[in-house]
């Protein structure tokens, strides 16, 4: 009986403590994101301005031959370009599909909402669902259950599914990788690295494949006698050649 008056005060104190911890975590996360954002563009400026110097420095530090380093860097550049182009194309398709269903259901400003869904689809953490889910809830609250169901199925199956279907095909073809490898690289990269894994995942796979190609080329250029450790033979000129790949 004596502890009853203290319960509201204890509840308020616990709530204030939880709110303080959440606010601190949010503030810390916001500061970290802001710092990473500034550093990204700061480093990007110098990488773009001093691109040639950076490439020469990578060639000097790389343990690979000059042609092999150039080949690996070219594969990495192709990977980044393919991911950017593929992401924009898939987002455009998702925005178009979302705008079409908004127009078909008679929702206001379908062009605007389609553009918004396309822009949100570019961000890995976000997506077009931030637009069509509230719209489906609004239709359900208005009593349009059939329209809400159609929008939910269209958004959850078509709009969201086209990403998993179209992205690996577009990116995989440009990366010269199998669709499964490109899909695993994108999904695994996001799981391991977060939003930046959308680029880092396929980039790691592309670099790994290029290194395997270089190793296969070196081994194929070596005579059979040189692969035997018992024989003391010098590397031939052919084994010193760079891999005949672009």
């Amino acid at each position: 009986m004596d502890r009853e008056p203290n319960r509201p005060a204890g509840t308020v104190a616990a709530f204030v403590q939880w709110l303080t911890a959440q606010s601190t975590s949010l503030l810390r996360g916001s500061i970290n994101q802001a710092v990473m954002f500034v550093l990204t563009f700061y480093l990007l400026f110098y990488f773009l301005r001093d691109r040639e110097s950076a490439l020469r420095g990578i060639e000097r530090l790389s343990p690979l031959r000059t042609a092999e380093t150039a080949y690996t860097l070219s594969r990495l550049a192709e990977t980044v370009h393919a991911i950017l182009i593929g992401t924009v194309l898939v987002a455009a398709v998702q925005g178009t599909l979302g705008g079409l269903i908004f127009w078909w259901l008679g929702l206001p400003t379908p062009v605007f909402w389609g553009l918004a869904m396309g822009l949100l689809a570019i961000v890995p953490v976000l997506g077009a669902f931030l637009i069509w889910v509230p719209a489906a809830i609004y239709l359900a609250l208005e009593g349009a259950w059939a329209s809400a169901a159609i929008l939910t199925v269209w958004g959850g199956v078509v709009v969201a599914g086209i990403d998993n279907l179209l992205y690996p095909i577009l990116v995989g073809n440009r990366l010269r990788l199998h669709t499964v490898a490109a899909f695993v690289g994108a999904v695994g990269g996001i799981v391991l690295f977060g939003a930046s894994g959308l680029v880092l995942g396929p980039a790691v796979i592309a670099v790994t494949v290029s290194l395997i190609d270089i190793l296969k080329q070196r081994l194929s250029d070596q005579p059979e006698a040189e692969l035997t450790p018992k024989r003391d033979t010098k590397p031939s000129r052919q084994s010193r050649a760079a891999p005949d790949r672009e």
Side-chain angles (χ1 to χ4, degrees):
M1 296 296 295
D2 296 337
R3 296 181 180 178
E4 290 293 334
N6 295 330
R7 288 185 177 180
T11 303
V12 172
F15 175 75
V16 171
Q17 184 178 3
W18 175 84
L19 186 62
T20 302
Q22 294 298 321
S23 301
T24 303
S25 177
L26 179 62
L27 179 61
R28 186 184 299 110
S30 301
I31 294 176
N32 291 337
Q33 292 296 327
V35 171
M36 292 299 297
F37 183 80
V38 173
L39 286 178
T40 299
F41 282 92
Y42 179 80
L43 296 176
L44 182 62
F45 168 77
Y46 285 102
F47 281 144
L48 292 177
R49 193 191 69 172
D50 304 327
R51 177 175 178 271
E52 297 298 331
S53 300
L55 290 177
R56 288 194 298 267
I58 293 175
E59 291 179 355
R60 289 194 301 267
L61 297 175
S62 174
L64 302 175
R65 302 162 185 166
T66 302
E68 294 170 347
T69 302
Y71 169 68
T72 305
L73 292 177
S74 66
R75 286 298 302 270
L76 182 61
E78 291 175 0
T79 301
V80 175
H81 293 162
I83 292 171
L84 294 178
I85 294 174
T87 301
V88 172
L89 290 178
V90 171
V93 172
Q94 288 183 307
T96 302
L97 293 175
L100 286 175
I101 195 63
F102 270 50
W103 169 77
W104 190 73
L105 295 176
L107 293 172
T109 60
V111 176
F112 171 78
W113 292 119
L115 179 62
M117 281 186 278
L119 293 176
L120 289 174
I122 297 177
V123 184
V125 181
L126 305 180
F129 69 92
L130 293 177
I131 302 297
W132 63 261
V133 168
I137 296 174
Y138 168 78
L139 291 174
L141 294 177
E142 291 292 323
W145 294 102
S147 298
I150 292 173
L151 181 57
T152 301
V153 173
W154 183 269
V157 177
V158 179
V159 177
I162 198 68
D163 184 12
N164 299 328
L165 177 65
L166 194 59
Y167 179 82
I169 295 176
L170 293 175
V171 176
N173 290 337
R174 294 180 61 88
L175 292 181
R176 291 173 285 170
L177 293 175
H178 193 273
T179 303
V180 175
F183 177 76
V184 171
V187 175
I190 293 176
V191 171
L192 291 177
F193 305 108
S196 59
L198 184 66
V199 176
L200 294 178
V204 169
I205 291 182
V207 172
T208 302
V209 171
S210 66
L211 294 178
I212 293 174
D213 290 341
I214 292 172
L215 179 61
K216 290 169 60 178
Q217 183 66 25
R218 287 189 178 185
L219 295 178
S220 64
D221 286 346
Q222 292 180 354
E224 183 178 359
E226 296 182 6
L227 300 179
T228 305
K230 294 181 180 180
R231 298 185 180 182
D232 186 13
T233 56
K234 296 182 179 180
S236 63
R237 294 181 179 179
Q238 188 179 3
S239 64
R240 299 173 185 172
D244 188 12
R245 295 175 182 269
E246 296 180 358

